Amino acid sequence: MHTRAIVAREPTTHPTWSLEEVDIGSPADDEVLVKITASGICHTDILLSSIPSGSPLGIAYPKILGHEGSGIVQATGKNVTRVAVGDQVLLSYYSCSSCAQCHASNPMYCAQFNLENYLGRKGPGVCKEDGEETWARFFGQSSFGEYSLVAETSVFKVTGLLQSEDELSLFAPLGCGFQTGMGAVKNVARAGPGDVVLVMGMGAVGMAALMTAKIQGCKTIIALDRFPSRLRLAEDLGATHTINTAVPDFEFQKAVRDISVNGASIILDTTGVGKLIEEAFRSLAPLGKLVHIASPPPNYRFSLDVSALFTTGKTITGCIEGNCLPSEAIPQMIQWYRDGLFPINKLVTYYPATDFANALAQMHDGSVLKPVLRWD
Ligand SMILES: [Zn+2]
Ligand SMILES: [Zn+2]
């Protein structure tokens, strides 16, 4: 069928995205054709379209990105059992369902994860303009199109969980950024009432982490960012303290220890900034946990004082997708939203899909946290 999609081509100094006419085929046996309602933009879309082809994962262009989305099932391949035509669905990451980690209910560490999610597969989409086959099935889904062929494992049925049509757009980003921040606090750090939680970087992932820390009853929740507007929003969403890194003569450890003299028991890094990561490790309380949920620059290496690690019992870890199973995380976040505990409506900004360049610019300048492109 004939459709339109945002196609990423070889980057110059920045990602090169354009809305193009694309032809796509019918679903393979394990695929679902989805008419996309809305697509969230996540930093990984930008990161993986900023890397020249070839390195480091075998990145190739042209490709259709998008790994947060929602829509309505139009057709299913012959092996598909999870959903049927007409179902409303949210989209999340791909897993193979057959490797050891998938069998152990850890699909976010699937043996095929990097290949299938970060690269996707070539075809069957063809760009109208030059007849080139696109790379698609990014995270099993490539949600940046009017229609997309999605892997069955990337589809989660929400028919029956929605109270209005509009919620299909609002919930579109639940399958990556929001579940990542939520799960990092709930599943990985296992935050509780006694914790002093520091969230570094108040983008959509950081805000989801913050809201979850509040839900978990954490006594002190510190939001760190360089944009005052984000820190104000963080306070509105439950931060008990804020740290602005952009003030003159900023001293990271002093700022943390002025709030909690022993340091933070949990620090979540959504920035990927090496200097902040090293300060964060030093600002942990004994037995504290530092959880990485953002990618630092590819050549960055964390240099660790191992003595400081074993004499303090600190833990450094990371996670993919907050160690979330979308089938559990998505209904949980929807319920919290209904209970007024996870107000993602305050974080989402809608754009017509044609206006994606504006969405990117406003994400970049910090004025928008979670842009959502609408295809209707
Ligand atoms: Zn697997
Ligand atoms: Zn993402």
Side-chain angles (χ1 to χ4, degrees), residues 42-44 67-68 139 176-177 180 321:
C42 183
H43 280 286
T44 305
H67 65 288
E68 294 175 346
F139 280 73
C176 184
T180 298
E321 302 284 347

Side-chain angles (χ1 to χ4, degrees), residues 122-178:
K122 192 162 190 179
V126 175
C127 296
K128 245 342 208 186
E129 199 180 307
D130 52 13
E132 249 189 287
E133 268 199 317
T134 61
W135 283 78
R137 285 199 25 158
F138 182 66
F139 280 73
Q141 56 178 279
S142 289
S143 66
F144 287 172
E146 274 176 318
Y147 289 85
S148 189
L149 292 169
V150 180
E152 184 184 16
T153 58
S154 291
V155 168
F156 178 70
K157 179 171 154 180
V158 288
T159 310
L161 289 179
L162 306 183
Q163 292 180 350
S164 69
E165 283 284 305
D166 272 355
E167 286 190 347
L168 201 52
S169 296
L170 178 65
F171 295 155
L174 289 179
C176 184
F178 289 143

Side-chain angles (χ1 to χ4, degrees), residues 34-328:
V34 178
K35 182 175 195 298
I36 303 290
T37 301
S39 328
I41 303 180
C42 183
H43 280 286
T44 305
D45 296 307
I46 298 166
L47 182 71
L48 291 182
S49 56
S50 306
I51 299 171
S53 50
S55 61
L57 293 157
I59 298 286
Y61 301 91
K63 71 175 163 194
I64 302 170
L65 298 152
H67 65 288
E68 294 175 346
S70 62
I72 297 169
V73 174
Q74 308 294 304
T76 57
K78 73 174 182 356
N79 296 338
V80 170
T81 57
R82 281 189 191 190
V83 291
V85 172
D87 279 341
Q88 295 168 307
V89 292
L90 299 191
L91 309 181
S92 191
Y93 63 89
Y94 173 91
S95 59
C96 80
S97 309
S98 57
C99 71
Q101 291 296 351
C102 283
H103 281 307
S105 297
N106 301 317
M108 64 299 291
Y109 303 103
C110 171
Q112 303 300 319
F113 193 94
N114 291 1
L115 205 63
E116 292 279 359
N117 288 288
Y118 302 146
L119 248 64
R121 295 184 187 179
K122 192 162 190 179
V126 175
C127 296
K128 245 342 208 186
E129 199 180 307
D130 52 13
E132 249 189 287
E133 268 199 317
T134 61
W135 283 78
R137 285 199 25 158
F138 182 66
F139 280 73
Q141 56 178 279
S142 289
S143 66
F144 287 172
E146 274 176 318
Y147 289 85
S148 189
L149 292 169
V150 180
E152 184 184 16
T153 58
S154 291
V155 168
F156 178 70
K157 179 171 154 180
V158 288
T159 310
L161 289 179
L162 306 183
Q163 292 180 350
S164 69
E165 283 284 305
D166 272 355
E167 286 190 347
L168 201 52
S169 296
L170 178 65
F171 295 155
L174 289 179
C176 184
F178 289 143
Q179 79 177 0
T180 298
M182 183 279 277
V185 171
K186 186 168 182 280
N187 303 333
V188 183
R190 297 180 187 274
D195 279 309
V196 175
V197 178
L198 167 61
V199 182
M200 305 207 300
M202 303 316 298
V205 175
M207 293 292 184
L210 168 81
M211 293 188 292
T212 309
K214 188 178 179 200
I215 290 166
Q216 299 297 106
C218 302
K219 66 174 177 188
T220 303
I221 306 172
I222 309 165
L224 177 147
D225 205 282
R226 62 197 162 99
F227 294 111
S229 60
R230 291 187 175 198
L231 294 173
R232 280 194 296 275
L233 180 58
E235 280 177 322
D236 183 36
L237 295 176
T240 57
H241 300 78
T242 59
I243 295 177
N244 183 347
T245 58
V247 296
D249 304 319
F250 174 66
E251 285 182 61
F252 190 110
Q253 288 200 64
K254 182 174 184 309
V256 175
R257 290 183 196 277
D258 279 351
I259 297 166
S260 172
V261 68
N262 290 326
S265 59
I266 294 170
I267 303 183
L268 300 128
D269 179 51
T270 76
T271 69
V273 175
K275 204 165 158 264
L276 294 178
I277 291 169
E278 282 150 34
E279 292 279 13
F281 177 72
R282 289 192 279 270
S283 305
L284 278 176
L287 293 172
K289 292 176 201 157
L290 172 59
V291 183
H292 294 287
I293 36 183
S295 203
N299 296 324
Y300 172 71
R301 294 293 176 269
F302 178 56
S303 141
L304 178 67
D305 174 356
V306 177
S307 305
L309 189 66
F310 85 76
T311 57
T312 58
K314 295 177 183 178
T315 302
I316 304 173
T317 188
C319 63
I320 291 289
E321 302 284 347
N323 289 358
C324 285
L325 299 176
S327 58
E328 292 174 1

